Amino acid sequence: MNADSTPESRERGADGGLSYAGAGVSIAEGDRFVDMIQPLMRRTFGPRVIENPGGFAGMFRLDYNERLFKRNYRDPVLVACADGVGTKVKIATALRKFDTIGIDLVAMNVNDLIVQGAEPLFFLDYIAVNALEPEVQAELVKGVVEGCRQAEAALLGGETAEMPDVYPEGEFDLAGFSVGVVELTRATDPERIEPGDVILGLASSGVHSNGFSLVRQVVEHAALDLNRSYEELECDQTLGEVLLEPTRIYARPIVKVQRGYRVKKVITGMAHITGGGLAGNLQRALHSQVDAVISESNWSAPPIFRFLEKRGGIAPAEMRRVFNMGVGYCLVVRPSFAASIQDKLRRLGEEVFVLGEIVAGSGSVRKIGDSD
Amino acid sequence: MNADSTPESRERGADGGLSYAGAGVSIAEGDRFVDMIQPLMRRTFGPRVIENPGGFAGMFRLDYNERLFKRNYRDPVLVACADGVGTKVKIATALRKFDTIGIDLVAMNVNDLIVQGAEPLFFLDYIAVNALEPEVQAELVKGVVEGCRQAEAALLGGETAEMPDVYPEGEFDLAGFSVGVVELTRATDPERIEPGDVILGLASSGVHSNGFSLVRQVVEHAALDLNRSYEELECDQTLGEVLLEPTRIYARPIVKVQRGYRVKKVITGMAHITGGGLAGNLQRALHSQVDAVISESNWSAPPIFRFLEKRGGIAPAEMRRVFNMGVGYCLVVRPSFAASIQDKLRRLGEEVFVLGEIVAGSGSVRKIGDSD
C-alpha cells in the first residue's frame, strides 16, 4: 500500500497496510520493517480475526458461530486498558536486548484485564522511537507477539512512530492497549467478598514492570554493574538479565480457572500487583466492610528484592510500596474451593501461596500483628 | 485509591483509581491531576459505561437492553486501531497551547475506525511526559474529552507516565487507541465498489495531523514566525494557530449517514486521508478491478497548503503525497444516492466536494488527464 506516501509513522494492522516516514527514512527500511513483522503478527491471529488488506483498522469478530470455535456472549461487557512499561525500557536499551520488553507490555495490560473477570481478545501497540532501526523494532514486536501468544490475544494492529525531535537518540517508548470481554453476570464484583474468603498469591517472575526509576537509582548510587552476576542473586544470570526478566502473564491460568467454575462464582476478587505493592493493589479488590489480613511468613521475597533493599538502603516499608516482593497476582476465593483452585493453578504451572484471609473490617489491608 | 503507592505512572480508569510516582513527584500533585480529570472523563460516559471504583480496567457494555438505549448486535465485529499525532505535539509545545491536540489524537483514531463501517464506542489515551505538570496534562485530557464528545465515544481510561530519562525537558508524547463496533454484514467491503460509483470528499479543517516534520522544516528554513499572521493565510489567525487547528472528526456525520440507509448499502468504500494523501489513501478503498478518477478542478486547496508549498518550495507532487490538500475524508457511493448523501452530509455541517468517479481499472487512483 501507499509505498509512495510520506507521513511520520508506520501504521500496522491486520491489514497489511502501511505508510511511510518523510523525515530522513528510506521507504526501503519501512518496507523491510513491515516485511519482518507481518508474519509475526499473523502468528497471533485466531479464527476471529478478520484480515482486511488495505483496511484502516483491525477487525475482530466478537460472536463467532462456526462449529469448531463457537463463542457467543449474552450480555458482553468489553474491558479495556492502556499501559506502558515505565522506565524498564532503559534497562532494555542498556543491555541492547529488545525481544522481551514487549512481553512486559502485554503483561501490564492483560493482567489488568483479567482482574475484571475478562478473557483477553486483542492487543495493539504503540512504539515511538528516535529513529527507525527495523531490526530493533522488529525485536520489540517479537516480544509483543510472544506476550500475545502467552495471553491468547491477537495482535490486531499497532503504530510505529519515528519522532527524532521528541525522543533523544537511542531512546524509545512503548505503550499498549488491550481489550477483553466478560459476560456481565461473570464480571468481578467486589461486593461479593466475604469474611472467611481465602487470599491466594501467584509468584511473580521478578521485579515485573514497576519501580524501575528506583531500581535504576539503586544501580547508579551503589555503582552496580548490569553485566555482572552477584552472589546474592543466587543465580547465574547477570543483574541486568534478572531485572529484565519479563513480567509474568497470568491470563491463561486465570481464564482457565474461571472457566472451570461456570456456575459457581468461587473467585470473589482479584488484584494485579503493580505500583503500590501488594497492599495498595489488593485494597482495590475490597469493599468497605472487609479487611484483608496478610501473613508475610507465608512466602519469602526472592533474592532480587533483598538485594535491591540492601544495596539501596531502602526502607522495608518503601520496598513493599514500590515492588511486588514476589507476589504478582492475587485471588480472593471462597474457602471451600481454596484447595481445589490452588491445585488447578499449580497444575497450570503457577507457584501459589496462601497469603491470608478476609475478615470483617473497613476496606483495608493489614499484616498479621498490625493493630486493627 | 492507593494514595500511598509509588509507581511511575498514574493509571486512570472509569474507576477513579490511581497510583503515584516515586521519582520526585509529590502525591499531592498526582491527586490534584486526578481530581482535575475525573469529572472531565465522566462527561464522556454514556449509559453503557460501567463505573467500577477501584477497578483495574474500564468496562463498557456492548449489548444494552434498557428501554431507552436499546442496542444489540447480531454478529458484532470489534474494530480497533492505535495512532498518535506525530510531531504536531511540537507545535502545541511551541505555542504552549495544549487543549486541542487531544482532539487530533481522537480524530486520527476514530476517522480510521469509521472507514470500516464502525461506530466508535470508546477511547483510551497514553500520555508520556518528562515531568508531570497537572495543569498541562489536564489540558491534554480536556482535548481528548472534547474529541470523544465529538465522536460520541467514551473516554474509558488512560495512562499518564512520567519518564524523565526518556523524554527531554518539556517534551511529551501522546498515543491513542479506539474501539468501535460494526455488524458483520454492514462492514465496509471493498469488493462492492463498482464502475459508476461517485467519489465524494469531505473538507478537512487544515493540515490535520500528518506531515508536521515537513511543516516544521518549512517553518525553520523559511524563517517563519508561528506567532505572526501572514496575508497569504487569508485569515486573522497566526500561522501557529492555523497549523494547530484540530483535525476534523468525521464520526458523527458518517455514522448518521450509514444509519440512514439501514437496508441498502449505498456507501461502497471510504478512506481517511492521512499520510500518503488523497491518492495513497483512497487507493486502499479500491479493489483490483476498479480505478478512481479524480478531477482536481472540483475543489481547491486551502491557503495554508499553497502557503507551505510556496514558502517551502515543495514540489506539487510531494505536497499531494504528504498533505490532505483540503480533503480529509472520502466516500465512494452508489450514483443514484450521491445527491441525497451529499445533501445529508451538508445538513450535518460538512462541506462536500464531488471528487470524481469509479471506472473499470486495476486498483489505482488517477487524475483526469493522466494516461491509463
Side-chain angles (χ1 to χ4, degrees):
Chain A
M1 319 289 122
N2 327 347
D4 58 349
S5 68
T6 318
E8 288 139 326
S9 61
R10 273 152 217 83
E11 197 174 278
R12 292 175 278 118
D15 57 12
L18 84 134
S19 46
Y20 286 94
V25 172
S26 85
I27 288 171
E29 285 297 90
D31 265 335
R32 205 154 59 80
F33 177 58
V34 172
D35 285 349
M36 277 188 254
I37 64 174
Q38 282 295 334
L40 293 174
M41 288 179 68
R42 214 163 264 125
R43 291 179 57 204
T44 70
F45 291 177
R48 295 198 277 174
V49 172
I50 300 177
E51 297 198 40
N52 57 332
F56 284 70
M59 300 180 76
F60 189 96
R61 287 185 69 172
L62 186 62
D63 280 345
Y64 194 76
N65 298 304
E66 306 300 313
R67 232 182 309 170
L68 275 173
F69 301 97
K70 190 175 162 69
R71 291 214 201 191
N72 292 94
Y73 301 90
R74 239 188 296 184
D75 204 345
V77 176
L78 301 179
V79 182
C81 55
D83 214 342
V85 297
T87 53
K88 190 167 184 173
V89 292
K90 301 284 287 186
I91 305 286
T93 304
L95 300 184
R96 297 285 306 164
K97 176 164 167 54
F98 299 106
D99 64 340
T100 61
I101 192 86
I103 302 175
D104 292 283
L105 185 67
V106 175
M108 291 304 285
N109 282 282
V110 298
N111 289 346
D112 273 355
L113 280 191
I114 57 176
V115 168
Q116 306 305 133
E119 59 161 328
L121 297 179
F122 58 81
F123 187 83
L124 295 97
D125 64 85
Y126 173 80
I127 301 175
V129 296
N130 167 274
L132 191 75
E133 300 170 76
E135 273 74 14
V136 170
Q137 282 86 52
E139 290 291 295
L140 295 175
V141 175
K142 247 183 228 174
V144 172
V145 164
E146 172 56 25
C148 284
R149 288 170 64 89
Q150 288 183 20
E152 297 179 4
L155 178 54
L156 205 56
E159 171 79 8
T160 305
E162 189 172 38
M163 310 220 287
D165 304 319
V166 174
Y167 295 85
E169 212 181 310
E171 299 293 345
F172 70 100
D173 196 12
L174 280 180
F177 306 99
S178 186
V179 171
V181 65
V182 59
E183 272 293 340
L184 182 62
T185 55
R186 307 284 307 174
T188 305
D189 176 1
E191 298 302 317
R192 287 197 300 112
I193 292 187
E194 286 175 7
D197 285 358
V198 174
I199 306 162
L200 303 178
L202 303 186
S204 67
S205 54
V207 179
H208 285 186
S209 311
N210 287 97
F212 272 88
S213 287
L214 184 55
V215 167
R216 290 168 43 246
Q217 272 178 40
V218 174
V219 169
E220 197 181 313
H221 292 158
L224 300 173
D225 182 353
L226 290 175
N227 295 308
R228 214 197 103 174
S229 54
Y230 291 85
E231 208 178 317
E232 302 111 290
L233 295 176
E234 299 173 20
C235 66
D236 295 336
Q237 291 180 296
T238 64
L239 173 60
E241 287 167 346
V242 170
L243 290 173
L244 204 59
E245 182 69 33
T247 306
R248 193 163 179 90
I249 294 177
Y250 302 101
R252 200 176 295 179
I254 294 297
V255 169
K256 279 216 169 135
V257 165
Q258 288 200 295
R259 284 210 191 116
Y261 300 94
R262 274 276 174 216
V263 183
K264 297 186 194 98
K265 293 170 189 168
V266 298
I267 298 173
T268 57
M270 290 189 277
H272 176 207
I273 310 307
T274 58
L278 180 61
N281 287 286
L282 182 53
Q283 201 241 326
R284 298 164 71 179
L286 304 177
H287 60 79
S288 59
Q289 263 88 61
V290 293
D291 282 356
V293 180
I294 299 297
S295 170
E296 289 194 339
S297 57
N298 290 5
W299 83 99
S300 56
I304 181 66
F305 297 106
R306 301 196 302 267
F307 177 78
L308 291 168
E309 180 171 352
K310 194 180 139 208
R311 296 300 184 111
I314 304 168
E318 179 72 355
M319 287 294 297
R320 286 186 186 82
R321 268 196 298 270
V322 178
F323 298 113
N324 67 63
M325 304 304 286
V327 176
Y329 196 86
C330 284
L331 300 95
V332 182
V333 303
R334 290 281 184 251
S336 50
F337 291 91
S340 71
I341 290 172
Q342 281 180 71
D343 198 49
K344 276 196 173 56
L345 287 167
R346 288 201 182 99
R347 270 185 282 124
L348 290 164
E350 300 301 314
E351 191 179 350
V352 191
F353 315 111
V354 177
L355 301 183
E357 63 165 348
I358 300 293
V359 299
S362 57
S364 62
V365 177
R366 298 184 275 130
K367 281 181 288 182
I368 277 184
D370 282 5
S371 64
D372 43 326
Chain B
M1 321 286 120
N2 332 345
D4 57 351
S5 68
T6 319
E8 288 139 326
S9 62
R10 275 154 215 79
E11 197 175 277
R12 292 174 280 117
D15 57 9
L18 84 134
S19 44
Y20 288 94
V25 171
S26 85
I27 287 171
E29 285 297 272
D31 265 335
R32 205 153 60 78
F33 177 58
V34 172
D35 285 349
M36 277 187 255
I37 63 172
Q38 282 296 331
L40 293 174
M41 289 179 67
R42 214 163 266 123
R43 290 179 58 205
T44 69
F45 292 177
R48 294 197 278 173
V49 172
I50 301 177
E51 297 198 42
N52 57 333
F56 285 68
M59 300 180 76
F60 188 96
R61 286 184 70 171
L62 185 62
D63 280 346
Y64 193 75
N65 297 305
E66 306 300 313
R67 233 182 309 169
L68 277 172
F69 302 97
K70 190 176 162 67
R71 294 215 199 187
N72 291 94
Y73 302 91
R74 238 187 297 185
D75 205 344
V77 176
L78 300 179
V79 182
C81 55
D83 213 342
V85 295
T87 55
K88 191 168 183 173
V89 293
K90 301 285 286 186
I91 306 287
T93 304
L95 300 184
R96 299 285 304 162
K97 176 162 166 54
F98 299 107
D99 63 341
T100 60
I101 193 87
I103 301 175
D104 293 283
L105 185 67
V106 175
M108 291 303 288
N109 282 282
V110 298
N111 289 347
D112 274 355
L113 279 192
I114 58 176
V115 169
Q116 305 306 133
E119 59 161 328
L121 298 178
F122 59 81
F123 188 83
L124 296 98
D125 64 85
Y126 174 80
I127 301 174
V129 296
N130 167 274
L132 190 75
E133 301 171 75
E135 273 74 13
V136 171
Q137 282 86 52
E139 291 292 293
L140 295 175
V141 175
K142 247 182 229 175
V144 173
V145 164
E146 173 56 25
C148 284
R149 286 170 66 88
Q150 288 182 21
E152 298 180 2
L155 177 54
L156 205 55
E159 171 79 6
T160 305
E162 190 172 36
M163 311 219 286
D165 303 320
V166 174
Y167 295 86
E169 211 179 309
E171 299 293 347
F172 71 99
D173 196 12
L174 280 178
F177 161 71
S178 185
V179 172
V181 66
V182 60
E183 273 293 339
L184 181 62
T185 55
R186 306 282 307 173
T188 306
D189 176 2
E191 297 302 316
R192 287 196 299 112
I193 291 187
E194 286 174 8
D197 285 358
V198 175
I199 305 163
L200 303 177
L202 303 185
S204 67
S205 53
V207 181
H208 284 185
S209 311
N210 286 98
F212 273 88
S213 288
L214 184 54
V215 167
R216 291 167 45 244
Q217 272 177 42
V218 174
V219 170
E220 198 181 314
H221 292 158
L224 300 173
D225 182 354
L226 291 175
N227 295 307
R228 215 197 103 173
S229 54
Y230 291 85
E231 208 179 317
E232 302 111 290
L233 296 176
E234 298 173 24
C235 67
D236 295 336
Q237 292 180 297
T238 64
L239 174 59
E241 286 166 347
V242 170
L243 289 173
L244 205 57
E245 182 67 32
T247 307
R248 194 163 178 89
I249 294 176
Y250 301 101
R252 201 177 294 179
I254 294 298
V255 169
K256 279 213 170 138
V257 165
Q258 287 201 293
R259 284 209 190 118
Y261 299 94
R262 274 280 174 215
V263 182
K264 297 185 193 96
K265 292 171 190 169
V266 297
I267 299 172
T268 55
M270 290 189 277
H272 175 207
I273 311 307
T274 59
L278 179 62
N281 287 285
L282 182 54
Q283 199 240 328
R284 297 163 71 179
L286 306 176
H287 59 79
S288 59
Q289 263 89 59
V290 293
D291 282 356
V293 181
I294 300 296
S295 169
E296 289 194 339
S297 57
N298 290 4
W299 83 101
S300 57
I304 181 66
F305 296 107
R306 300 197 301 268
F307 178 78
L308 291 169
E309 181 171 349
K310 194 179 137 208
R311 297 298 185 111
I314 304 169
E318 178 73 353
M319 286 296 295
R320 287 185 186 81
R321 267 197 298 269
V322 178
F323 298 114
N324 66 64
M325 303 305 285
V327 176
Y329 196 87
C330 284
L331 300 94
V332 182
V333 305
R334 288 283 183 249
S336 50
F337 291 92
S340 69
I341 290 172
Q342 281 180 71
D343 199 48
K344 276 198 172 57
L345 287 167
R346 288 200 181 101
R347 273 185 281 123
L348 291 164
E350 300 300 315
E351 191 180 350
V352 191
F353 316 109
V354 177
L355 301 184
E357 63 166 345
I358 300 293
V359 298
S362 57
S364 61
V365 178
R366 298 183 275 129
K367 281 182 287 181
I368 279 185
D370 281 7
S371 63
D372 42 327

